[in-house]
Amino acid sequence: MTLITPQPLDQEDEEMLVPNTEMLDGSLPVQGPVAFDGTPPVEAPQPMEVVSTAENQATEEPQASRFTWTIENFSRQTNKKLYSDVFVVGGHKWRVLIFPKGNNVDHLSMYLDVADSSTLPYGWSRYAQFSLAVVNQIHSKFTVKKDTQHQFHARESDWGFTSFMALSDLYDPSRGYLVNDTCIIEADVAVRKVIDYWSYDSKKETGYVGLKNQGATCYMNSLLQTLYHIPYFRKAVYHMPTTENDMPSGSIPLALQSLFYKLQYNETSVATKELTKSFGWDTYDSFMQHDVQELNRVLCEKLEDKMKGTVVEGTIQKLFEGHHMNYIECINVDFKSTRKESFYDLQLDVKGCRDVYASFDKYVEVERLEGDNKYHAEAHGLQDAKKGVLFIDFPPVLQLQLKRFEYDFTRDTMVKINDRYEFPLELDLDRENGKYLSPDADKSVRNLYTLHSVLVHSGGVHGGHYYAFIRPTLSDQWFKFDDERVTKEDTKRALEEQYGGEEELPQTNPGYNNALFKFTKYSNAYMLVYIRESDKDKIICDVDEKDIAEHLRIRLKKEQEEKENKRRYKAQAHLYTIIKVARDANLLEQIGKDIYFDLVDHDKVHSFRIQKQTPFNQFKEEVAREFGVPVQFQRFWIWAKRQNHTYRPNQPLTALEESQSVGQLREVSSKNHNAELKLFLEIETGPDLHPIPPPDKSKDDILLFFKLYDPEKEELRYVGRFFVKSSGKPSEIILKLNERAGFSPDEEIELYEEIKFEPCVMCERLDKRASFRTSQIEDGDVICFQKLPKADDKYRYPDVPSFLEYVKNRQIVHFRSLDRPKEDDFCLELSKLHTYDDVVERVAQYLNLDDPSKIRLTPHNCYSQQPKPHPIKYRVAEHLLDMLVHYNQVSDILYYEVLDIPLPELQCLKTLKVAFHHANKEEPVIHNIRLPKQSTVGDVLNEIKSKVTLSHPDAELRLLEVFYHKIYKIFPLTEKIENINDQYWTLRAEEIPEEEKNLGPQDRLIHVYHFTKEAAQNQMQVQNFGEPFFLIIHENETLADVKVRIQKKLQVPDEEFSKWKFAFLSLGRPDYLQDSDVVSNRFQRRDVYGAWEQYLGLEHSDTTPKRSFTANQNRHTYEKPVKIYN
């Protein structure tokens, strides 16, 4: 739920910034402005107001402007999404896109969209900082505003917030966001000029190359560039022992050597796939963004381990290892405890610190152990003491990890700290007479450091982008390494602009109120690397080819040559024709193994690359050399695609066709410019198996191909080809086919013509008495045959058509338990045509379950590799294929669960999770109530009564809707449960106190909530917590009287209760009460705002136990631990 605070500048932390993506079943979305039904978006008909536009061309300085969109009749909008009018900022056209009912979430979804993206030239890109706001028309300071920045391009032409603000807040007329059913949206946009990414040559412009992003590996790229540009480290990696037999994908040292070599000598950006494969990562890992700090530690630990026992053993320690001393020193007795620890990086606080020095001051801050926290000093017992940390030595390369991400215990979530935090170009850790150093430190070492690199994170807590500013030689010239792109940057860009904080941008439209726009800078330094001045000559050393093992140089040069050959091959492709030649040997090898339909997979036959002007007769000589078949014994057939989508040899090449060039022949065979020339080579052999000239072919001769089916073995194989006369009959070739099959001459066989297999199989029995011409048999046709089936045969697929039908529709399905969605439990071979009942019966049979209706299946999301959120309803999916299709992909995974009651019965029921609060017990008990959908709230409460022990037999219950520690609704007993949602709200059942049943005419039932106040955005915010409750207040009753009843109800000890404060709160603003105040006087307004927005607040510290951080399900994407497996 978005917290509504005055001008909130840090709310990006609460959700992931995403492009507009319409999510169905949790799938990876279809991008852009076309709806799923294919209809173009409907423009909103409301009058719009453009406050200002900026027509100037974009420059280095950002141009900013505000656009205001007034939408009338907002609650009556029927379109799924609305676009604003187009407005111009920085010479670019923009518009706002909203989903009034949410983009498949229960929040308003809002994005900034490039209005003319569909007409922009290939490779377009533009960069903008922007904020989007829904204006509060009653109290402007409660306007909900969020800001971010994004590089827009063709694949991400819109960007914003899927969960901008809760729909319950937006549509509540008392909140002030809809007044007279009108919603006002503001967009502040600032545009900066960006480099033309597509034409930019990093090597030419900077002398360095970038790293390709595999999907979400920018965090790794920025770290690898930083490590590569520490030459001493690079040299050590080159000297790690590897052999010519190692494979980069299985050896981290070799993969890293290969990567560094390519960074040093390549002309274009370098791929990291070999390295991530050597880590043991799959594609999923490459699309999972991790934490740079964690990867740095894991990688260095792995390299340290790999370097043991080699000439470079200890390099990681020499470069990065420092030591500090943890001490506890007693104040009143002579006792001191110390412990030396090593570190490879230091984690510095950002929150509450203005710069690096302030963080170091905090790091060595002395803590007093006194009072209840005294130190137990062995023989001296409990003593007052000082506790702290001092540094024994710092490493030559100092890695400072800035704690930009912290866990907010109040909100039970991670947040990003975007505060301004400065860091110097030169860092003096000997300052103030060595205040950071322990007495044991070597004072002869000068701890003066110079900044080498700044790793930057741009974005929020749930995701973002990493890049690095590095000065490889420690000169004044900085370079920005942003995945594939490297650019020259000045010191200001590398330092000051990465401090974070806020940026003020003036409007550039003359004559308009030029108020400053304030943007939170979501791009800020996240990791700093400093190099000690006294060690820089050793660390910034020369690294050249002699440091690289010879076998590695040979291997990588060979790779470069192969890459160059591929490039040349591609560049010359237009001069050549690819000719694919299929032979009998290919058909024999493939039919019944790789393929069952048609004759051959052309991707698995011999391929020739021949210059287009080469005469075909000259090509035949090439074939003779390759296959050992003299030219005079070769006859080539052209393959043709038939109307029924089969692909068969159509006719032999004529002498005239063979006199043409291969390029001309290809053009005749296919008009497709890039098509290959596909041929079948007919070779006849004599009794000695040597080639002989092909037989003459008259118009009456037909070339047929034959497949034999064995129903016992369920096997189909190729048995050759021969010519028949079109006037002849199938009965005339029975003897020959029996011979090919190895049958006795008098074996009765059945013949079938394989006609087509798309979209369905057509295989028909051939009339043995009719001529081939009558049966419309022609060149290239396929005849399947088998022994005549007998009545007592018990085969699964007794004939060719049934077998081909089976092959066409068979599907291996991997079943996974819904509780363990990553692990295959078992596999079943099914048919795509199986009905819903067939599938669940097979699953139940495998699980030894008597009742298949207790199986519930859930389909697989091919994009997220997770179960879809909604299971398959009973018999709704007609066939297995319907269960497996996900957009244009067919999955082979289904998830199953075994229910305690049959699925049809369950679907008629509604399950609600209700927390029952007993009148005399502290802990609520969760009950899953399952009732028919037409049941009422009264039925739910009766069911609960049957499950719990009440305080007295006549106790009455009520059902409440609780959200974020506030009571939003008391459900009427007659309300149907079908539409009650327990996914987002907590349903709470409780006994109705006797005193509430007998309200006097002047008594009021008020809401009572617990709250604390915390500082956020330089203002105090109210945070509710704990269990809310109702309380009766009587006429003229003072706060002192009310407090007595509250203390008794909550059973709070006197000492603790004396610290509590009491306030009347309306719309989040506390008005503190004195004991003599008459409470009922504050609760006079009955219908202005929702009852939950006027309440009696109990201010005290939140002592309820927090969920452990690891248990929180809403963890940001970094928190899957980085693992390097090899």
Side-chain angles (χ1 to χ4, degrees), residues 361-423:
D361 291 346
K362 191 172 180 181
Y363 205 99
V364 300
E365 205 169 56
V366 177
E367 180 186 352
R368 305 277 295 197
L369 303 179
E370 53 194 10
D372 293 339
N373 196 29
K374 286 185 178 183
Y375 174 63
H376 190 277
E378 296 179 2
H380 301 283
L382 293 174
Q383 294 288 330
D384 291 343
K386 297 184 296 182
K387 178 184 178 184
V389 176
L390 289 170
F391 290 92
I392 299 169
D393 57 64
F394 292 104
V397 179
L398 180 63
Q399 298 182 113
L400 303 179
Q401 309 283 5
L402 309 183
K403 290 162 74 173
R404 286 283 182 190
F405 292 98
E406 287 193 354
Y407 185 63
D408 185 326
F409 283 94
T410 306
R411 290 156 65 183
D412 192 20
T413 187
M414 289 292 290
V415 294
K416 185 182 177 190
I417 311 298
N418 289 301
D419 300 354
R420 182 177 175 87
Y421 181 88
E422 299 177 8
F423 46 91

Side-chain angles (χ1 to χ4, degrees), residues 1010-1023:
H1010 305 267
F1011 76 97
T1012 61
K1013 288 195 303 185
E1014 63 169 42
Q1017 301 297 324
N1018 300 318
Q1019 299 192 34
M1020 295 305 293
Q1021 285 185 12
V1022 167
Q1023 291 282 349

